[in-house]
């Protein structure tokens, strides 16, 4: 929500750090290799985009009532 409202920049979001933490956490649960890397690389930016879209639509929905 902060990113959508320009209160947070992409640099401050540190998407790379989020991806790295997700990989480390994934390796904690599965020690056979990093099979989740592709899923993490796909879903991390998509999740940020979905959150931004939700925040924008929610803001326009609530302001129109």
């Amino acid at each position: 929500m902060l990113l959508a409202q320009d209160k947070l920049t992409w640099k401050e979001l540190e998407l790379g750090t989020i991806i790295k933490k997700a990989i480390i956490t994934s390796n904690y649960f599965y020690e056979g290799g990093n099979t989740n890397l592709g899923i993490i690389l796909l879903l991390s930016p998509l999740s940020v985009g979905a959150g931004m879209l939700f925040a924008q639509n929610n803001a326009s929905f609530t302001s129109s009532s």
Side-chain angles (χ1 to χ4, degrees):
M1 179 124 175
L2 295 175
L3 191 61
Q5 296 174 348
D6 291 330
K7 294 180 181 177
L8 181 70
T9 65
W10 281 100
K11 185 175 182 175
E12 293 170 329
L13 178 65
E14 297 180 351
L15 187 57
T17 303
I18 293 169
I19 291 171
K20 182 177 179 181
K21 287 180 181 180
I23 292 168
I24 291 169
T25 303
S26 172
N27 286 336
Y28 175 76
F29 293 103
Y30 179 72
E31 296 180 4
N34 194 1
T35 59
N36 296 324
L37 177 61
I39 296 168
I40 292 168
L41 290 175
L42 173 69
L43 294 181
S44 297
L46 285 176
S47 298
V48 171
M52 289 178 63
L53 183 63
F54 177 77
Q56 289 172 353
N57 286 340
N58 194 27
S60 65
F61 178 74
T62 56
S63 65
S64 66
S65 11

